[in-house]
Amino acid sequence: MHRHEDYKERLAAHALDALETAEARELEVHLATCAECRAELDGWQETASALAFAAETHEPDASLRSSILERARTLAQPEAARESLETITNESSNIIPFNAQPRRAWASMQTFGAIAASLIIAALAVALALLWQRNNRMEAEVARLSRDYNQSQIELAQAREDRKLLTAPGASMAVLNGTENAAGARAHLAYDKTTGRAMLVADGLPPAPEGKAYQLWFIADGKPLPGGVFNTDAAGHGEMREQIPPDGRAAAVFAVTLERAGGVPAPEGKAYLQSKAAS
Amino acid sequence: MYPEQAQDADAELLRAIARGEEQALAALYDRYRLILFGLIQRILHNRAEAEDVLQEVFLQVWQKAADFDEARGRPFTWLVTLARSRAIDRLRSLGARDRLATASAREETEAVADAVTDAILSERGKVVRDALGQLPEEQQQVLLLAYFDGFTQSEIATRTGTPLGTVKTRMRSGMTKLRELLGTRMKLIS
């Protein structure tokens, strides 16, 4: 879209009909909504029409006058015009029918204005729909990025926690080896005896059957205290963060059994991992 | 020619034509046939075609007089604009534009040159020709190629081997200068 000033610059050329088709069309659309430019164009039209005087005057054939009047008589005036006009233009005649409006007749401006207005409205509607679509896409994208960002923040916080756990002064590490039920399995339990924070990383566990999950136990004085429940991925890898209850923090042995998915207060299933002794 | 009266009289004629009064159409024809026929002939360079277009123009006036809007300009401007645009349409439909253009530009230079000394031309013609004659020749050429040959700015640029930007500037300057020169005098001659 051009500015009003750009359009103003074209008015003189438009009065001479000298703009390119596309330029002229653009300007006409602007004219439909700009009274100032319309008024200025009227002024330029006057100047342009003065150029007619640059042509030498000529006398047409005298018979033309009566010929015009005679034809005018057969051409009805506007209200009744249409039908008889068609009759006449259907006759063999060297008169070009009046279907085509003169390009510069002011009368056509109103029609043009209406057409231009509906074109503008249609174009705006399309633009609006496109913007709306685009906006929806952008919103979805922003939501996705925001989710990703939150996820990353959570993971980052977790990683910081994990590092803190591993480097804390009271940190301990226990190694859990696979029992006869999972010979290839192995896990590490890092825990802080002071705070009770713990992290278990297990590998090589068979996938837990439907409705079952692995559960961690803290065994102090031969008595198992229930810990959290976790699952493994397809590769047999599982991770779990845990808060060890105060009476479990002195545990010497850790074990992992396969239990009902929600976990149980006392071990019922087979043991899959077990530590030798706390370090 | 008395400007206000002439304009009022023209507007009155158009109103009468819109009411279907044939003698008003005849009066308008009598008043403007020479200038309009001159204009059309100048564009078409063909007498028979020009007479055909002139007839077309007056029959269109007969049918469209009611559309004339006094608020938008003088009846004369409306009439000339109509005639010029019908003639250019005919010129384009004849496909004769290219062949004629060069001749027309040349002819115009002569006509303008002659105009000042030509005593038999109408007062209005003299004023306009005089004003045109005061424009630099390249501005005149651009205006005349657009007005009488129906060339667009880029067609003029190609035809005259001038950069498009220059053509645009010449056209705008030419029109501005012409408007200035005619400004006060046009009121007197309308």
Side-chain angles (χ1 to χ4, degrees), chain A residues 47-67:
Chain A
T47 305
S49 68
L51 284 168
F53 289 110
E56 291 187 53
T57 55
H58 284 282
E59 181 72 75
D61 196 280
S63 65
L64 197 65
R65 187 182 194 268
S66 50
S67 160

Side-chain angles (χ1 to χ4, degrees), chain A:
Chain A
M1 273 288 179
H2 294 263
R3 292 178 314 121
H4 171 71
E5 292 304 317
D6 298 327
Y7 287 118
K8 264 183 96 137
E9 290 230 316
R10 296 186 191 174
L11 292 171
H14 194 47
L16 288 170
D17 235 350
L19 293 174
E20 309 312 310
T21 314
E23 273 183 317
R25 206 167 286 152
E26 253 184 19
L27 179 58
E28 292 284 1
V29 170
H30 174 70
L31 285 168
T33 61
C34 181
E36 188 192 331
C37 281
R38 274 202 304 277
E40 196 175 324
L41 178 63
D42 291 345
W44 286 120
Q45 300 265 30
E46 295 233 335
T47 305
S49 68
L51 284 168
F53 289 110
E56 291 187 53
T57 55
H58 284 282
E59 181 72 75
D61 196 280
S63 65
L64 197 65
R65 187 182 194 268
S66 50
S67 160
I68 288 170
L69 293 177
E70 205 172 299
R71 281 209 170 265
R73 225 163 286 144
T74 62
L75 280 175
Q77 292 272 293
E79 306 85 74
R82 288 300 143 206
E83 252 177 76
S84 50
L85 179 62
E86 273 159 30
T87 327
I88 284 161
T89 51
N90 285 342
E91 287 170 5
S92 72
S93 157
N94 59 349
I95 290 185
I96 289 186
F98 287 91
N99 302 342
Q101 289 269 341
R103 286 187 304 164
R104 193 65 86 197
W106 293 322
S108 67
M109 277 298 287
Q110 281 187 336
T111 321
F112 185 85
I115 293 168
S118 28
L119 283 178
I120 291 170
I121 288 167
L124 283 176
V126 169
L128 197 64
L130 289 175
L131 279 174
W132 183 76
Q133 268 184 0
R134 207 173 113 112
N135 185 46
N136 279 356
R137 277 206 307 276
M138 300 294 265
E139 264 175 10
E141 179 70 356
V142 166
R144 191 182 65 75
L145 288 173
S146 162
R147 273 197 308 277
D148 286 357
Y149 174 76
N150 287 341
Q151 186 58 38
S152 303
Q153 285 301 76
I154 290 166
E155 281 172 11
L156 183 62
Q158 203 113 71
R160 285 202 184 111
E161 282 301 310
D162 294 349
R163 196 183 61 190
K164 238 163 81 180
L165 174 63
L166 292 173
T167 56
S172 305
M173 176 77 82
V175 176
L176 286 76
N177 288 309
T179 65
E180 68 280 9
N181 297 313
R186 191 177 166 84
H188 290 86
L189 180 75
Y191 63 102
D192 185 336
K193 279 182 182 153
T194 324
T195 62
R197 300 177 75 83
M199 179 177 71
L200 179 78
V201 179
D203 283 291
L205 284 170
E210 186 84 44
K212 301 270 189 180
Y214 291 104
Q215 186 168 9
L216 177 66
W217 302 93
F218 314 103
I219 302 163
D221 300 323
K223 187 178 166 228
L225 291 167
V229 174
F230 68 95
N231 271 308
T232 55
D233 62 20
H237 177 85
E239 279 185 26
M240 180 182 63
R241 277 146 195 99
E242 175 70 299
Q243 182 65 41
I244 306 174
D247 44 352
R249 290 178 198 168
V253 177
F254 304 93
V256 169
T257 59
L258 188 65
E259 303 294 349
R260 279 179 278 134
V264 290
E268 298 167 4
K270 290 176 179 166
Y272 279 70
L273 289 161
Q274 189 163 346
S275 70
K276 285 191 176 113
S279 56

Side-chain angles (χ1 to χ4, degrees), chain B residues 16 35 48 75-77 102 117 167 170:
Chain B
I35 177 69
F76 173 74
T77 306
T102 322
T117 53
V167 170
R170 282 177 187 170

Side-chain angles (χ1 to χ4, degrees), chain B:
Chain B
M1 190 80 60
Y2 307 104
E4 295 301 325
Q5 285 95 320
Q7 192 170 332
D8 290 350
D10 285 347
E12 183 43 52
L13 280 182
L14 285 177
R15 279 192 291 272
I17 291 168
R19 288 193 300 268
E21 293 174 24
E22 269 172 49
Q23 66 275 28
L25 184 67
L28 196 74
Y29 179 85
D30 292 340
R31 186 174 286 182
Y32 291 115
R33 71 182 192 286
L34 293 178
I35 177 69
L36 294 183
F37 189 59
L39 165 66
I40 296 168
Q41 176 128 320
R42 168 65 188 275
I43 290 170
L44 291 171
H45 301 267
N46 179 316
R47 195 175 166 88
E49 291 286 349
E51 286 186 343
D52 196 37
V53 170
L54 185 65
Q55 168 157 307
E56 208 179 287
V57 168
F58 275 96
L59 290 178
Q60 185 141 22
V61 168
W62 176 244
Q63 294 215 301
K64 303 282 179 190
D67 293 344
F68 167 70
D69 180 0
E70 271 179 86
R72 304 248 3 225
R74 298 181 297 125
F76 173 74
T77 306
W78 184 69
L79 208 53
V80 166
T81 305
L82 182 57
R84 188 257 175 191
S85 113
R86 296 302 288 205
I88 295 286
D89 285 349
R90 177 66 65 94
L91 182 66
R92 287 181 177 146
S93 77
L94 290 173
R97 208 154 50 114
D98 284 346
R99 189 165 47 77
L100 294 172
T102 322
S104 130
R106 200 165 43 236
E107 184 184 306
E108 179 44 33
T109 318
E110 288 157 15
V112 171
D114 294 346
V116 187
T117 53
D118 196 341
I120 62 159
L121 289 174
S122 75
E123 185 60 25
R124 285 189 267 188
K126 235 154 86 182
V127 168
V128 172
R129 285 155 190 256
D130 185 36
L132 255 181
Q134 290 184 48
L135 300 187
E137 199 168 317
E138 62 275 8
Q139 288 181 11
Q140 274 182 45
Q141 186 194 33
V142 166
L143 297 192
L144 297 171
L145 280 172
Y147 194 75
F148 289 112
D149 297 303
F151 285 121
T152 65
Q153 290 178 324
S154 55
E155 285 171 333
I156 293 171
T158 310
R159 176 161 296 274
T160 59
T162 314
L164 181 59
T166 309
V167 170
K168 288 183 177 180
T169 309
R170 282 177 187 170
M171 191 172 281
R172 214 166 39 237
S173 310
M175 284 291 276
T176 308
K177 186 94 185 288
L178 188 63
R179 182 170 63 176
E180 249 171 60
L181 289 167
L182 295 177
T184 45
R185 276 176 285 187
M186 277 303 273
K187 287 197 178 68
L188 298 174
I189 60 169
S190 297

